[in-house]
């Protein structure tokens, strides 16, 4: 009997659960397994809780999300088929018994996706083999984990559960306040005596709790223009009864008008870049379609690593040029296909791939594409023109035009639209990018650059909201509900003398006051910042250690390539694994959902970890069998020696060597008699 604990049953824990069941179903020896599942909430959904409002959306199309493996998954162990999110949606039936009509390329609510994950958990439970017993614990959170007497002790709700193997998949964590955040909190508390409506929100999730006390008389400043901020805006507008309507025929198709309910606060939106994330394009790739890299390949990354001193890479110098070539390839193929025909696009593509170096590729581009239509990395990174920076009004005009052009590009699709086709490369080659970054694959300075500079650019270009969110934000700006004209480098400070927050714009003297400030970013704390009692104790005992690339701590705890947790002394703990956001830093971009037909790294990591456990169990069983055979052999020897000493030496056991000297048997018989006496 082996006891296994999974601590945290969100999507990552569910992947481990899936792999354990898949392996157990294929275990011909039917080794008995006790599986203990711990989560303080529902099993399956994780942060996709099923009680969220319907206007909070997953920013991935339905057909490109799954929780199950398929034939493209390699190295994750036995396959265990299950429906993708879109297949699950279409299998639902209405009151008449007919199958639900769904948009496979549509964006659905997080609550509905949470229902799918919860259903997936029940589906997997039914597939568990008879020799597996599952124990569910979701009343409270695990508050301690310790190693005693060759077993893990999992502390839960005042009890200790013993486990031979443990998986840490606790997901998103709460963050301990920094010194500056504590100081700001104290100042806000002190100023509230003069302004009772003054509020500071540092944790935006759950969204409904974060802004529940904000009223129509408040002005709320939201720091950040990413996905979290879009959630906050939706909660404060649609969540308050506001409606979006299509504009009349005199307006461009897709333009919306916002009808306020009167319950919305005034919203001030600002960020370091001054730009919202760009829209996700209409999906034309279906379920399995992905750009196949021609330049930034796994083989190329491995070749660069073999050539590098110490095996580490410089992302900006070695990876970005290759990534840029793939983005150019996708852009110009779509551009020529759209402007001319497919043959012209194919001819150009062949020549582009045959070019020797940057200069030759640029010369080819110049021969075929007008300068004004060429893809520019500099403009992708910083699209704000000089004239737009001259005044707040000019910036506001430019920003609205920029957002609408982005919406139009998104409408063209991620294959037909040249710009969105290029930006989607950033998503499609993410696993190759991971192979360059994971496990300290970059020089320390390069790792810092990736997280501070490249990651925000990648998120803005490729990981944005559905295009409808951009149209809605424009409608809110037109209605005067949202202001986003603060430009790049805007910041918010507490004015203690006035007991209010002040958003300082790019332009001196241009500012706006607010009585509520919300940090519109989901926290992803490292182990030293994690607020949970479990992680704090694991750090204190040295069971886990923060991941370090040189002197840089990008976040997360250290694991090896089998996802085994590395202890403070540097030793891999072969019975303890961690997956998901807990290892964000040691691995890159761990919070994305598995995608059908993509050999998802989520499933591969889980499969590798569980496969390692099953190998350990098999080895222990084999060692136990040998030990039992040795014990049986020794017992037989003693038994026969005793018989011989008492006149029964003519009957030798079958496992006793026939050439064993009788003298040795007599010695053993004497030893046996000594023990008996």
């Amino acid at each position: 009997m082996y006891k296994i604990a999974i601590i945290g049953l969100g999507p990552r824990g569910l992947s481990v659960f899936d792999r354990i069941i898949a392996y157990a179903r294929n275990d011909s020896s039917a080794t008995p397994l006790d599986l203990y599942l711990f989560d303080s909430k529902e099993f399956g959904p994780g942060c996709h809780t099923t009680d969220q409002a319907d206007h909070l959306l997953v920013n991935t199309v339905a057909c490109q999300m799954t929780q199950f493996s398929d034939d493209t998954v390699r190295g994750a162990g036995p396959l265990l088929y299950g429906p993708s999110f879109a297949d699950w949606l279409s299998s639902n039936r209405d009151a008449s018994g007919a199958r639900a009509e769904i948009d496979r390329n549509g964006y659905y609510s997080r609550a509905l996706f949470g229902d799918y994950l919860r259903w997936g958990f029940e589906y997997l439970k039914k597939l568990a083999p008879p020799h597996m017993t599952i124990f569910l614990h979701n009343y409270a959170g695990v508050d301690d984990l310790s190693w005693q007497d060759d077993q893990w002790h999992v502390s839960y709700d005042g009890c200790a559960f013993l486990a031979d193997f443990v998986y840490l998949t606790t997901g998103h964590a709460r963050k301990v306040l920094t010194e500056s955040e504590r100081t700001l909190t104290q100042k806000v508390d002190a100023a509230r005596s003069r302004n009772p409506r003054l509020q500071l929100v540092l944790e935006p999730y759950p969204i409904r709790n974060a802004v529940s006390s904000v009223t129509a008389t408040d002005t709320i400043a939201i720091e950040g223009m990413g996905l979290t901020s879009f959630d906050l805006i939706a909660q404060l507008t649609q969540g308050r009864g506001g409606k979006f309507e299509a504009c009349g025929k005199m307006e461009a198709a897709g333009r919306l008008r916002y009808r306020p309910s009167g319950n919305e606060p005034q919203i001030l939106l600002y960020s370091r870049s001054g730009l919202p994330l760009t829209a996700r394009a209409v999906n034309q790739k279906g379920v399995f379609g992905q750009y196949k890299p021609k330049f930034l390949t796994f083989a190329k990354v491995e070749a660069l690593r073999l050539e590098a001193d110490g095996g580490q890479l410089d992302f900006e110098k070695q990876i970005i040029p290759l990534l840029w070539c793939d983005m150019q390839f996708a852009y110009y193929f779509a551009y020529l296909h759209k402007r001319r025909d497919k043959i012209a696009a194919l001819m150009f593509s062949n020549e582009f791939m045959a070019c020797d170096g940057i200069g030759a590729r640029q010369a080819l581009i110049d021969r075929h594409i007008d300068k004004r239509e060429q893809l520019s990395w500099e403009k992708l990174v910083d699209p704000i023109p000089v004239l737009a920076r001259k005044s707040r009004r000019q910036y506001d005009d430019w920003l609205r035009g920029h957002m609408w052009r982005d919406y139009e590009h998104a409408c063209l699709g991620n294959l037909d639209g040249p710009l969105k086709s290029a930006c989607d490369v950033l998503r499609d080659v993410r696993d190759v990018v991971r192979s360059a970054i994971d496990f300290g694959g970059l020089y320390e300075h390069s790792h810092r650059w990736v997280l501070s500079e490249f990651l925000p650019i990648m998120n803005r270009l490729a990981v944005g909201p559905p295009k409808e969110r951009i149209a809605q934000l424009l409608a809110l700006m037109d209605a005067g509900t949202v202001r986003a004209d603060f430009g790049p480098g805007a910041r918010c400070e507490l004015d203690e003398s006035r007991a209010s927050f002040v958003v300082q714009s790019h332009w001196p003297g241009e500012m706006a006051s607010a009585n509520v400030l919300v940090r519109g970013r989901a926290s992803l704390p490292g182990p030293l910042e994690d607020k949970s009692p479990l992680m704090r104790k694991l750090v204190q005992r040295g069971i886990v250690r923060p991941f370090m690339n040189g002197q840089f701590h990008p976040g997360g705890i250290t694991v090896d390539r089998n996802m085994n947790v590395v202890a403070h002394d540097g030793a891999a703990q072969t019975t303890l694994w961690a997956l998901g956001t807990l290892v964000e830093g040691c691995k890159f971009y761990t919070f994305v959902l598995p995608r059908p037909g993509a050999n998802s790294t989520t499933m591969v990591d889980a499969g590798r970890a569980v496969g390692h456990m099953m190998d350990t169990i098999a080895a222990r069983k084999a060692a136990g069998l040998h030990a039992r055979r040795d014990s049986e052999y020794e017992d037989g020897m003693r038994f026969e020696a005793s018989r011989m000493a008492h006149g029964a030496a003519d009957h030798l056991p079958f496992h006793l060597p026939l050439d064993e000297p009788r003298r040795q048997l007599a010695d053993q018989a004497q030893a046996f008699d000594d023990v008996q006496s």
Side-chain angles (χ1 to χ4, degrees):
M1 172 68 69
Y2 290 92
K3 298 177 184 293
I4 306 164
I6 305 177
I7 302 175
L9 246 293
R12 290 298 171 270
L14 203 54
S15 295
V16 172
F17 185 50
D18 172 290
R19 295 295 79 211
I20 292 173
I21 289 175
Y23 270 101
R25 286 168 62 90
N26 284 266
D27 179 12
S28 58
S29 67
T31 304
L33 301 175
D34 277 357
L35 188 54
Y36 297 92
L37 309 181
F38 298 92
D39 200 298
S40 60
K41 300 177 183 176
E42 301 172 283
F43 291 118
C47 64
H48 303 88
T49 54
T50 57
D51 59 352
Q52 297 181 73
D54 288 342
H55 53 257
L56 300 177
L57 306 178
V58 181
N59 75 312
T60 304
V61 293
C63 68
Q64 291 185 356
M65 293 190 291
T66 189
Q67 191 55 44
F68 300 97
S69 54
D70 55 43
D71 293 325
T72 66
V73 177
R74 300 180 299 277
L79 293 179
L80 195 61
Y81 296 109
S84 69
F85 180 47
D87 291 337
W88 176 79
L89 286 173
S90 65
S91 69
N92 293 331
R93 298 180 182 275
D94 59 24
S96 66
R99 287 199 171 191
E101 290 290 331
I102 70 156
D103 178 3
R104 300 182 72 85
N105 292 309
Y107 297 87
Y108 287 83
S109 71
R110 287 206 200 105
L112 190 56
F113 186 69
D115 281 334
Y116 164 70
L117 294 173
R118 184 172 58 182
W119 175 91
F121 171 71
E122 297 296 333
Y123 173 83
L124 289 170
K125 268 204 312 179
K126 294 174 184 175
L127 293 173
H131 57 276
M132 176 184 286
T133 305
I134 300 172
F135 300 90
L136 306 181
H137 303 280
N138 69 331
Y139 174 73
V142 170
D143 57 21
D144 199 3
L145 177 67
S146 60
W147 178 257
Q148 302 173 37
D149 303 323
D150 295 329
Q151 277 189 310
W152 292 105
H153 290 234
V154 182
S155 297
Y156 167 86
D157 194 26
C159 301
F161 294 83
L162 302 182
D164 300 291
F165 307 98
V166 174
Y167 294 86
L168 295 172
T169 50
T170 51
H172 290 277
R174 293 285 181 179
K175 179 177 173 292
V176 175
L177 298 183
T178 64
E179 185 61 38
S180 62
E181 289 171 337
R182 281 196 296 271
T183 300
L184 179 59
T185 300
Q186 291 167 359
K187 290 180 178 179
V188 169
D189 289 342
R192 196 172 290 122
S193 61
R194 288 173 288 132
N195 180 0
R197 298 300 304 161
L198 198 63
Q199 300 176 59
L200 173 64
V201 180
L202 299 175
E203 286 284 354
Y205 289 102
I207 293 289
R208 65 179 182 276
N209 295 344
V211 295
S212 61
S213 60
V214 176
T215 68
T217 61
D218 294 320
T219 298
I220 178 172
I222 300 177
E223 179 183 288
M225 300 174 80
L227 295 174
T228 300
S229 295
F230 279 100
D231 283 348
L232 287 163
I233 292 169
Q235 184 70 22
L236 292 165
T237 55
Q238 287 175 292
R240 299 289 179 92
K243 303 291 183 184
F244 292 100
E245 302 172 350
C247 290
K249 295 181 179 179
M250 299 298 292
E251 297 281 353
R255 294 292 297 211
L256 299 176
R257 180 181 296 110
Y258 182 66
R259 298 293 187 191
S261 66
N263 296 317
E264 304 89 344
Q266 173 70 34
I267 301 171
L268 310 179
L269 191 61
Y270 71 97
S271 70
R272 185 180 71 165
S273 69
L275 299 167
L277 300 188
T278 58
R280 293 285 293 276
V282 171
N283 180 43
Q284 298 171 317
K285 298 180 178 181
V287 179
F288 306 111
Q290 281 186 293
Y291 173 83
K292 301 297 187 292
K294 282 72 179 172
F295 300 90
L296 183 59
T297 62
F298 286 109
K300 183 62 178 177
V301 171
E302 186 59 29
L304 289 172
R305 200 175 298 288
L306 290 173
E307 296 169 3
D309 182 22
Q312 289 185 305
L313 304 176
D314 186 312
F315 195 91
E316 189 174 10
K317 292 180 180 178
Q318 294 175 285
I319 302 301
I320 288 289
L322 299 171
L323 178 60
W324 178 238
C325 285
D326 277 307
M327 293 178 70
Q328 287 179 305
F329 184 94
Y331 177 88
Y332 292 119
F333 181 89
Y335 179 89
L336 290 170
H337 190 197
K338 183 172 182 288
R339 295 296 182 92
R340 299 179 196 175
D341 54 47
K342 189 169 185 177
I343 294 175
L346 291 170
M347 287 289 291
F348 178 90
S349 298
N350 287 325
E351 290 186 65
F352 189 84
M353 290 182 64
C355 286
D356 184 16
I358 297 173
R361 282 191 290 271
Q362 188 58 51
L364 174 67
I365 294 168
D366 290 340
R367 287 199 304 272
H368 291 273
I369 314 293
D370 186 276
K371 284 279 188 185
R372 293 169 297 181
E373 299 292 322
Q374 292 180 13
L375 187 65
S376 166
W377 177 255
E378 289 74 21
K379 288 184 179 178
L380 288 177
V381 172
D382 184 8
I384 306 173
V386 174
L387 286 176
R389 297 174 186 262
K390 288 192 174 296
S391 71
R392 183 193 61 78
R393 188 185 185 101
Q394 286 173 288
Y395 181 79
D396 186 51
D397 289 342
W398 172 83
L399 180 62
R400 292 168 189 256
H402 171 75
M403 291 169 61
W404 182 247
R405 288 189 296 273
D406 177 57
Y407 176 88
E408 291 179 320
H409 282 301
C411 289
L412 296 176
N414 56 13
L415 286 177
D416 294 342
L419 181 60
K420 294 300 181 180
S421 180
C423 291
D424 217 43
V425 168
L426 290 164
R427 288 185 67 239
D428 288 346
V429 303
R430 194 182 284 149
D431 280 343
V432 188
V433 171
R434 279 195 188 98
S435 73
I437 299 173
D438 286 355
F439 302 106
L442 302 178
Y443 292 114
E444 178 185 337
H445 76 274
S446 183
H447 203 164
R448 292 177 186 271
W449 182 86
V450 164
L451 298 189
S452 64
E453 302 298 330
F454 173 73
L455 184 58
I457 293 167
M458 185 185 79
N459 286 341
R460 178 162 56 82
L461 296 178
V463 197
K467 69 182 191 308
E468 289 76 16
R469 288 297 200 212
I470 300 299
Q472 290 171 357
L473 180 54
L474 274 169
L476 290 166
M477 292 164 66
D478 291 341
T481 304
V482 172
R483 272 190 62 184
D485 57 356
F486 297 98
R491 65 191 188 282
C492 188
E493 300 172 345
L494 176 65
D495 185 334
E496 294 181 73
S497 63
R498 297 168 53 192
S500 70
F501 296 105
V502 178
V503 180
Q504 304 280 358
S505 77
H506 175 79
W507 301 273
E510 295 277 358
M511 62 187 70
S513 297
N515 60 289
V516 182
L517 171 61
V518 179
R519 296 275 171 84
R521 295 187 300 270
S523 60
L524 200 64
L528 300 177
E529 305 164 322
D530 195 322
K531 206 172 184 178
S532 74
L534 174 61
M535 183 53 62
R536 295 175 75 81
K537 291 172 184 175
L538 293 178
V539 171
Q540 288 169 1
R541 294 199 185 102
I543 294 174
V544 304
R545 72 173 184 182
F547 174 72
M548 301 295 295
N549 186 355
Q551 299 300 308
F552 177 47
H553 174 47
I557 64 175
T558 307
V559 292
D560 65 11
R561 293 184 182 274
N562 288 321
M563 309 308 293
N564 284 115
V565 174
V566 176
H568 181 71
D569 62 3
Q573 300 171 92
T574 57
T575 57
L576 179 64
W577 294 265
L579 299 94
T581 57
L582 274 179
V583 301
E584 180 66 32
C586 186
K587 288 184 67 68
F588 178 70
Y589 235 73
T590 58
F591 35 81
V592 295
L593 298 165
R595 179 173 174 174
N599 191 32
S600 169
T601 186
T602 297
M603 201 59 72
V604 172
D605 285 347
R608 185 184 297 118
V610 174
H612 188 60
M613 178 188 72
M614 298 304 290
D615 289 343
T616 301
I617 290 175
R620 288 186 183 182
K621 284 184 66 178
L625 180 61
H626 289 313
R628 285 194 298 274
R629 285 176 176 170
D630 290 345
S631 177
E632 289 167 1
Y633 178 83
E634 292 170 1
D635 289 345
M637 291 278 285
R638 286 194 293 269
F639 176 75
E640 289 302 325
S642 176
R643 291 185 64 198
M644 290 175 66
H646 292 83
D650 291 336
H651 301 86
L652 299 178
F654 77 93
H655 57 261
L656 184 67
L658 296 179
D659 60 350
E660 183 77 6
R662 286 180 177 270
R663 181 184 56 78
Q664 185 174 349
L665 291 175
D667 291 342
Q668 290 173 337
Q670 182 61 51
F672 179 80
D673 287 341
D674 291 341
V675 170
Q676 292 294 93
S677 63

